């Protein structure tokens, strides 16, 4: 029995089934049905309702942020964050090529252009060293106080690093670099609810952080996203923009700027509140699973990705780094053929037709990881309660 067969057998044993094992299934073990019924009985099922406000309060408290704004999904949350960051059409936004496409899409919604910075191999998130080298080579501070790209003459308006699979990247170093160059930091914490860097929750190191509650996330409300900030002015602006920029009035429909129908519906918020109540339990369960994987893969040719010193990961999606692309493809083929759902990391954004003309820094580590990283089943296991 080779390592792939042993892995399949181990995962089947851990999840106590030889039936199909998904990559990350949602877990509903709390007050989801109760809160949904309350919402239906109230008739407030859209974007006005008690659960939306409650979730914002509870989520801000959990992350340690002063304010939270609940949105329909993570992508439009990031869209709003970039608008708040002052990103305009034709500006540039520093991002990762190794990311889910939502990041690059949200940048494009504004008419801005991505510039792809390499990642660190151990975090799979944007590398502070790579960012600094890029800015030293291409960045230029001008009289208006902002940084411009010398090769394109465009303003570098924001930087959007992502905590890949919930593993905190070197966010303090990145934040310091962005502050030095006066680049607005929008922290893509979509995958990292429950992850910490030196005891501080991800998403709170920049002026704005964003999260996703898609069906495959650590907690879910079907869709859903949240923007967090300590800046009251930004929070008020976020709520205004996500509610069609409607000026409060007892009966008039007055709108003072272009707004968006992005506010989370009360039905989704009811689910979100119930899920958030169980988050600590979910995180413990997921860490137990990660420890099992870590022990199993120890001493094999497969590297199981773990958190760095001074960080605490949520282990949203457990990840392996395989020796090479050939072994990766064999692993994916055989595991999926045996009902164990596994997936490769995303194709680099720089390889997609929409973004192939975006500037990048060579992406050496990103390309290396693209050929080797796979995700393995990471769901909550109710049998371990």
């Amino acid at each position: 029995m080779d390592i792939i067969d042993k892995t399949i057998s181990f995962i089947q044993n851990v999840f106590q089934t030889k039936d199909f094992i998904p990559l990350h299934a949602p877990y509903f073990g709390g007050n989801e049905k109760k809160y949904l019924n309350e919402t239906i009985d109230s008739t407030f099922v859209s974007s006005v309702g008690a659960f939306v406000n409650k979730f914002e309060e509870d989520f801000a408290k959990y992350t340690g942020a002063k304010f939270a704004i609940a949105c329909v999904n993570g992508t439009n949350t990031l869209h709003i964050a970039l608008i708040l960051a002052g990103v305009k059409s034709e500006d540039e936004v520093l991002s990762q090529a190794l990311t889910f496409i939502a990041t690059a899409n949200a940048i494009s919604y504004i008419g801005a252009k991505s510039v792809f910075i390499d990642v660190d191999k151990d975090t799979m998130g944007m590398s502070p060293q790579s960012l600094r080298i890029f800015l030293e080579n291409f960045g230029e501070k001008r009289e208006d106080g902002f940084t411009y790209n010398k090769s394109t003459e465009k303003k570098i308006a924001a930087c959007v690093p992502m905590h890949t699979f919930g593993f905190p990247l070197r966010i303090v170093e990145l934040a310091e670099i962005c502050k030095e160059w006066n680049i607005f930091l929008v922290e893509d914490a979509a995958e990292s609810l429950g992850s910490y860097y030196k005891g501080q929750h991800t998403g709170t190191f920049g002026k704005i952080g964003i999260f996703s509650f898609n069906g495959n996330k650590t907690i879910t409300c079907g869709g859903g996203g949240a923007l967090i900030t300590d800046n009251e002015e930004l929070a008020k602006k976020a709520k205004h923009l996500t509610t069609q920029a409607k000026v409060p009035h007892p009966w008039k429909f007055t709108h003072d700027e272009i707004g968006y129908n992005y506010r989370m519906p009360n039905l989704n918020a009811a689910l979100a509140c119930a899920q958030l109540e169980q988050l600590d339990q979910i995180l413990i369960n997921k860490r137990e699973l990660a420890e099992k994987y870590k022990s199993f893969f120890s001493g094999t040719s497969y590297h199981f990705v773990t958190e760095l010193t001074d960080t605490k990961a949520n282990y949203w999606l457990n990840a392996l780094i395989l020796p090479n692309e050939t072994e990766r493809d064999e692993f994916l083929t055989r595991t999926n053929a045996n009902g164990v759902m596994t997936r490769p990391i995303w194709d680099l954004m720089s390889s997609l037709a929409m973004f192939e003309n975006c500037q990048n820094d060579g992406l050496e580590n990103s390309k290396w990881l693209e050929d080797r990283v796979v995700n393995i089943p990471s769901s909550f296991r109710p049998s371990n309660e």
Side-chain angles (χ1 to χ4, degrees), residues 25-42:
Y27 171 66
F28 302 116
N31 290 312
E32 288 88 354
K33 291 181 180 179
K34 177 176 181 290
Y35 292 170
L36 281 172
N37 284 333
E38 288 179 16
T39 305
I40 292 169
D41 290 342
S42 76

Side-chain angles (χ1 to χ4, degrees), residues 79-370:
H79 180 203
I80 290 295
L82 292 168
I83 292 173
L84 295 174
V87 179
K88 306 293 184 184
S89 178
E90 301 302 318
D91 283 348
E92 293 182 346
V93 176
L94 305 175
S95 182
Q96 302 172 197
L98 191 71
T99 185
F100 181 58
I101 196 169
T103 311
N105 279 344
I107 293 168
S108 299
Y109 296 163
I110 297 177
K113 196 164 187 176
S114 296
V115 175
F116 298 121
I117 306 299
D118 205 7
V119 300
D120 287 326
K121 285 183 179 180
D122 52 3
T123 68
M124 299 175 288
M126 187 182 291
S127 165
Q129 182 181 6
S130 296
L131 176 60
R132 184 171 291 282
I133 290 172
F134 178 85
L135 289 171
E136 288 174 349
N137 288 334
F138 295 99
E140 180 180 72
K141 296 179 188 176
R142 296 191 178 169
E143 291 182 359
D144 62 2
F146 294 105
T147 294
Y148 289 78
N149 187 329
K150 289 186 291 188
S151 67
T152 64
E153 294 297 318
K154 296 183 183 298
K155 178 183 173 182
I156 301 176
C159 178
V160 186
M162 185 183 70
H163 299 286
T164 305
F165 304 141
F167 293 99
L169 52 80
R170 293 177 172 86
I171 188 61
V172 170
E173 296 175 55
L174 280 174
E176 289 173 350
I177 295 169
C178 288
K179 183 178 180 180
E180 177 185 340
W181 290 84
N182 194 25
I183 297 172
F184 198 110
L185 176 61
V186 175
E187 205 174 335
D188 188 344
E191 302 172 354
S192 65
L193 178 58
S195 298
Y196 296 82
Y197 187 98
K198 294 185 178 180
Q200 183 175 336
H201 201 289
T202 55
T204 62
F205 291 87
K207 291 183 181 179
I208 296 174
I210 69 98
F211 293 83
S212 169
F213 314 117
N214 188 38
N216 65 348
K217 293 298 190 295
T218 304
I219 67 169
T220 183
C221 53
L227 179 153
I228 60 172
T229 182
D230 287 340
N231 185 300
E232 185 174 7
E233 183 180 345
L234 289 175
K236 288 180 177 178
K237 185 73 169 179
K239 187 169 182 178
H240 186 58
L241 289 176
T242 56
T243 51
Q244 296 283 28
K246 184 179 183 296
V247 178
H249 191 276
W251 64 84
K252 282 186 177 181
F253 289 96
T254 303
H255 305 262
D256 59 2
E257 61 183 308
I258 299 296
Y260 303 87
N261 187 20
Y262 281 177
R263 188 154 176 79
M264 180 185 287
N266 204 35
L267 276 172
N268 297 85
L271 275 174
C273 287
Q275 289 271 285
L276 192 59
E277 290 172 352
Q278 302 167 82
L279 179 55
D280 288 341
Q281 174 192 4
I282 291 170
L283 292 172
I284 290 171
N285 187 286
K286 290 174 73 60
R287 181 165 288 271
E288 290 173 351
L289 175 60
E291 287 297 326
K292 290 179 183 293
Y293 279 139
K294 181 180 177 182
S295 176
F296 175 77
F297 290 110
S298 176
T300 72
S301 59
Y302 294 175
H303 172 69
F304 179 70
V305 179
T306 57
E307 61 206 0
L308 298 184
T309 303
D310 293 330
T311 74
K312 185 175 183 180
N314 64 2
Y315 288 98
W316 167 53
L317 285 185
N318 292 294
L320 296 175
I321 300 177
L322 275 58
N324 53 57
E325 184 178 5
T326 300
E327 291 194 41
R328 180 206 66 180
D329 289 347
E330 183 180 4
F331 180 89
L332 290 167
T333 298
R334 289 170 58 184
T335 50
N336 283 285
N338 282 275
V340 175
M341 187 176 179
T342 59
R343 289 293 183 267
I345 203 167
W346 315 280
D347 290 350
L348 297 186
M349 296 300 101
S350 54
S351 69
L352 303 182
M354 307 84 74
F355 308 117
E356 61 183 5
N357 293 322
C358 293
Q359 185 178 6
N360 68 72
D361 63 357
L363 306 173
E364 179 180 353
N365 291 339
S366 301
K367 293 174 181 177
W368 187 90
L369 289 165
E370 180 187 28

